[in-house]
């Protein structure tokens, strides 16, 4: 059996400048130093520290499999070191996503988000890592569906023999904490019926149905950590990260990128309580601005080789072909903003991360007159 490689993307907001915009360079430096130590200790093989707006993204390769306590502890300690720097600089929301004081074996449920894939490396292993800020895991549903199931997006579904066999989707119901597996194309309509409700049903993993990779080995994985449910109160939107493997019987990188050439609406944006367009950006624009948005997606492309990340990565959305989508996103942001406090710009009451409703109900208690 070939030795397996694991790619772990673990992220957290440990504080930012100015307000909820970007990670400070000193925090990035602290994270690099911490992961460098982890390499020298033999915990991980390689790493790349990225950011998505105000979220610190630890991209790590290792031989320890998913949910490994040592790797997760490394991420946790790295976030703690970043938090210390953030506190010294009085950065905004220092330690925001570290919800507990003590680490207990796995970052899941403790605040950070994680997407991990253990794989038998193919002779060439291209991967895309998509990092979103000011939105939620369900924001991945639409592009992931289009990449792996929409023949109008991915030509290979029609004209590549392996892709033509379709893909298997693992969908999580993040309210009821359960999952279901659905095969495309034959269960496509059932799949869509669920994942259209993106605040509740989220695509967690995708598997190939051809023999291009082992059947139980994910070819895509999305973080589905839901901070609002973990903490029971608002502590920041659960900005997600996703990994997608490319080429050789899987969707090509071009097909993977094609799914983002149109700015679909996602929930999040200001105070995690508004719908707005997702703007794909290169590093140059990897930060939120207007109304803490519009929500962003930043993407990096790597090749994995013997459990290392071949660098430098490709800045996937730094291309003129995405300019029309960015322009349209800016126009849509304008359009949505003009609704102010009205739905569907403002989220429905039960999905808002911030609300004054309980206080208002209390304040006006007894003043409501019966109209029946
Ligand atoms: P592969 O079949 O080599 O992955 O190439 C497909 C492709 O990327 C075409 O755009
Ligand atoms: P973050 O989740 O990215 O910290 O954003 C919080 C927020 O409320 C922005 O308006
Ligand atoms: Mg923040
Ligand atoms: Mg964020």
């Amino acid at each position: 059996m070939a030795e397996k490689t694991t790619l772990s993307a673990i992220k957290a907001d440990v504080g930012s400048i100015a307000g909820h915009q970007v990670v400070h360079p000193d925090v990035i430096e602290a994270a690099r130093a911490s992961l460098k130590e982890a390499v020298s200790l033999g915990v991980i093989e390689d790493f790349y520290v990225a950011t998505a707006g105000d979220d610190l993204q630890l991209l790590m390769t290792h031989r320890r499999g998913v949910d490994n306590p040592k790797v997760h502890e490394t991420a946790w300690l790295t976030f703690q070191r970043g938090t210390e720097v953030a506190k010294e600089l009085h950065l905004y929301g220092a330690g925001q996503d570290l919800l507990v004081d003590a680490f207990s074996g796995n970052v899941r449920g403790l605040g950070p988000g994680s997407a991990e894939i253990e794989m038998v490396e193919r002779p060439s292993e291209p991967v895309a890592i998509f990092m979103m800020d000011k939105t939620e895991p369900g924001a991945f549903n639409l592009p992931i569906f289009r990449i792996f199931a929409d023949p109008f997006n991915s030509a290979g579904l029609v004209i590549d023999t392996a892709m033509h066999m379709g893909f298997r989707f693992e969908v999580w119901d993040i309210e009821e904490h359960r999952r279901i597996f659905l095969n495309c194309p034959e269960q496509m309509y059932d799949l869509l019926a669920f994942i259209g409700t993106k605040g509740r049903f989220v695509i967690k993993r995708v598997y190939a149905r051809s023999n291009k990779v082992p059947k139980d080995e994910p070819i895509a994985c999305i973080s589905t950590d839901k901070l609002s449910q973990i903490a029971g109160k608002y502590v920041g939107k659960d900005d997600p990260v996703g990994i997608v493997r490319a080429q050789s019987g899987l969707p090509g990188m071009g097909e993977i990128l094609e799914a983002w050439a149109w700015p679909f609406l996602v929930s999040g944006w200001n105070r995690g309580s508004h719908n707005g367009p997702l703007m794909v950006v290169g590093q140059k624009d990897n930060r939120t601005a207007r109304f803490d948005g519009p929500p962003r997606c930043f993407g990096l492309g790597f090749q994995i080789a013997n459990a290392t990340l071949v660098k430098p990565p490709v800045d996937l959305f730094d291309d003129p072909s995405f300019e029309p989508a960015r322009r349209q996103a800016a126009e849509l942001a304008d359009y949505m903003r003009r609704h102010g406090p009205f739905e569907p710009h403002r989220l429905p009451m039960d999905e808002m991360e911030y609300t004054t409703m309980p206080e208002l109900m209390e304040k006006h208690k007894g003043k409501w007159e019966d109209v029946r």
Side-chain angles (χ1 to χ4, degrees), residues 13-16 19-22 53-55 92-94 96-97 133-134 234-237 239 292:
D13 180 344
V14 298
S16 48
H20 287 286
Q21 287 187 294
V22 296
D54 62 359
D55 294 297
Y92 197 70
Q96 172 178 290
D97 288 351
D133 189 28
K134 308 293 184 272
Y234 180 74
V235 285
K237 204 81 188 166
D239 303 319
D292 283 348

Side-chain angles (χ1 to χ4, degrees), residues 33-350:
S34 171
L35 294 187
K36 222 170 158 175
E37 274 172 40
V39 172
S40 61
L41 291 170
V43 177
I44 57 174
E45 298 293 319
D46 197 10
F47 70 88
Y48 188 88
V49 177
T51 61
D54 62 359
D55 294 297
L56 184 60
Q57 305 272 349
L58 312 180
L59 314 178
M60 301 173 286
T61 46
H62 54 92
R63 300 284 193 191
R64 296 171 183 270
V66 303
D67 281 337
N68 179 268
K70 273 207 149 87
V71 173
H72 279 235
E73 186 183 29
T74 295
W76 184 262
L77 294 175
T78 303
F79 291 137
Q80 278 189 329
R81 279 169 69 166
T83 299
E84 280 166 30
V85 176
K87 282 187 173 155
E88 276 165 30
L89 298 174
H90 294 210
L91 297 183
Y92 197 70
Q96 172 178 290
D97 288 351
L98 306 189
L99 305 182
V100 294
D101 294 328
F103 175 74
S104 52
N106 190 303
V107 296
R108 284 190 292 119
L110 305 186
S114 65
E116 300 183 283
I117 294 182
E118 184 179 38
M119 63 184 90
V120 178
E121 272 182 40
R122 296 172 292 162
S124 178
E125 190 62 65
V127 295
I129 300 173
F130 296 106
M131 299 158 261
M132 296 182 183
D133 189 28
K134 308 293 184 272
T135 185
E136 60 176 6
F140 271 100
N141 283 6
L142 190 150
I144 292 291
F145 171 80
R146 294 196 61 211
I147 292 164
F148 293 102
D150 179 1
F152 282 77
N153 181 89
S154 298
L157 294 169
V158 181
I159 62 176
D160 175 287
T161 308
M163 283 179 67
H164 199 81
M165 295 172 74
F167 294 91
R168 183 171 173 78
F169 290 74
E170 177 182 337
V171 176
W172 283 19
D173 174 349
I174 55 183
E175 270 175 32
E176 296 292 328
H177 304 283
R178 54 186 183 171
R179 67 178 179 180
I180 192 169
F181 291 86
L182 295 165
N183 286 335
C184 277
E186 62 271 32
Q187 291 176 301
M188 180 191 292
Y189 298 161
D190 297 7
L191 174 69
L192 285 169
F194 288 115
I195 65 173
T197 306
K198 58 189 176 28
R200 173 166 174 185
F201 299 102
V202 295
I203 299 171
K204 176 65 190 176
R205 296 185 186 89
V206 182
Y207 305 84
R209 297 173 72 191
S210 69
N211 60 2
K212 293 292 179 177
V213 297
K215 289 261 185 312
D216 58 349
E217 199 180 282
I219 52 171
C221 180
I222 317 320
S223 67
T224 51
D225 312 78
K226 191 113 180 101
L227 282 182
S228 48
Q229 290 202 353
I230 294 164
K233 64 179 172 63
Y234 180 74
V235 285
K237 204 81 188 166
D238 30 352
D239 303 319
V241 57
I243 301 171
V244 183
R245 298 165 68 188
Q247 306 290 162
S248 308
L250 309 184
M253 194 57 83
E255 290 164 330
I256 292 169
L257 293 179
E258 176 65 12
W260 308 83
W262 169 72
F264 47 92
L265 296 173
V266 299
S267 56
W269 208 347
N270 191 273
R271 296 172 189 274
S273 304
H274 295 84
N275 282 312
L278 187 78
M279 186 185 269
V280 293
V281 290
Q283 183 58 46
K284 178 171 81 63
D285 300 309
N286 186 1
R287 122 191 60 83
T288 54
R290 182 180 182 187
F291 205 51
D292 283 348
R296 305 281 153 127
C297 183
F298 173 61
L300 289 177
F302 290 94
Q303 292 284 144
I304 296 177
N306 301 320
T308 63
L309 292 162
V310 178
K311 294 171 275 262
V314 178
D315 188 348
L316 295 172
F317 295 125
D318 177 21
D319 187 80
S321 64
F322 289 107
E323 287 305 338
R326 286 193 266 274
R327 210 168 33 245
Q328 199 183 1
E331 281 159 15
L332 283 168
D334 234 2
Y335 175 83
M336 295 301 282
R337 279 302 298 131
R338 287 181 72 178
H339 294 81
F342 284 81
E343 295 179 20
H345 177 33
R346 202 214 69 202
L347 291 181
M349 237 159 60
D350 58 345

